[in-house]
């Protein structure tokens, strides 16, 4: 439970980063005619690397090698990225739902799933380092 709370608190930083990046990219309309979808895709792709690094350094006490952990995280994040980009496209362009509401929905719905998958795939518990202060 302590690890999930730590993940969530650090996730607030990651979410703020992703939100600011999304808003900037949405303003610049990185995919002409598909501003929400383009901004979501690019901000998530960049955010996944930032998020992994922050969790590697601050959330998980793991000795799992960074390159292998990053590779596994990218596989997890990329899978979610495909699903959430499709959801964004369908909801914003297909059903006319406001893009910020869809951003919030995607972020909330996939938050816990993200923790479970990242924890078990990118930061395997078998590589946890015991820290006596915890």
């Amino acid at each position: 439970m302590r690890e999930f709370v730590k993940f969530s608190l650090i996730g607030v930083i990651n979410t703020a980063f992703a939100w600011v990046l999304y808003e900037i990219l949405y303003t610049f309309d990185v995919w002409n005619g598909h501003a929400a979808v383009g901004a979501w895709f690019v901000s998530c792709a960049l955010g996944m690397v930032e998020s992994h690094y922050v969790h590697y350094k601050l959330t998980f006490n793991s000795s799992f090698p960074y390159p292998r952990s990053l590779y596994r995280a990218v596989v997890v994040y990329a899978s979610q990225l495909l699903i959430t980009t499709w959801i964004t496209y369908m909801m914003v362009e297909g059903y006319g739902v406001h893009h910020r509401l869809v951003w919030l929905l995607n972020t909330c719905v996939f938050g816990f799933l993200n923790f479970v998958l990242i924890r078990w795939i990118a930061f395997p518990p078998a590589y946890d380092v015991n820290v006596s202060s915890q």
Side-chain angles (χ1 to χ4, degrees), residues 8 10 18 21 24 26 32-33 35 37 48-49 53-54 58 66 70 89 92 96 99 104-105 111 114 116-117 124 133:
S8 298
I10 291 171
L21 186 57
I24 291 168
Y26 183 85
N32 192 19
V37 177
M48 77 172 76
V49 175
Y53 181 78
V54 173
L58 302 176
Y66 183 80
L70 179 61
Y89 173 77
V92 173
H99 69 97
L104 182 62
L105 175 74
N114 187 31
V116 170
L117 292 174
S133 64

Side-chain angles (χ1 to χ4, degrees), residues 37 86-97:
V37 177
W86 180 79
I87 290 169
T88 300
Y89 173 77
M90 292 302 294
M91 292 185 78
V92 173
E93 296 188 22
Y95 296 106
V97 178

Side-chain angles (χ1 to χ4, degrees), residues 36-122:
V37 177
W40 174 263
F41 185 86
V42 174
S43 67
C44 282
L46 294 174
M48 77 172 76
V49 175
E50 178 270 340
S51 180
H52 176 266
Y53 181 78
V54 173
H55 286 306
Y56 189 84
K57 290 294 188 184
L58 302 176
T59 304
F60 301 106
N61 294 315
S62 181
S63 64
F64 199 59
Y66 183 80
R68 289 179 61 200
S69 179
L70 179 61
Y71 171 78
R72 288 178 171 202
V74 167
V75 170
V76 169
Y77 288 135
S79 301
Q80 290 182 31
L81 180 59
L82 293 174
I83 294 165
T84 57
T85 299
W86 180 79
I87 290 169
T88 300
Y89 173 77
M90 292 302 294
M91 292 185 78
V92 173
E93 296 188 22
Y95 296 106
V97 178
H98 193 277
H99 69 97
R100 288 188 183 102
L101 183 58
V102 176
W103 184 93
L104 182 62
L105 175 74
N106 273 332
T107 300
C108 292
V109 167
F110 286 89
F112 182 73
L113 177 62
N114 187 31
F115 168 74
V116 170
L117 292 174
I118 289 300
R119 176 59 176 122
W120 289 95
I121 296 173

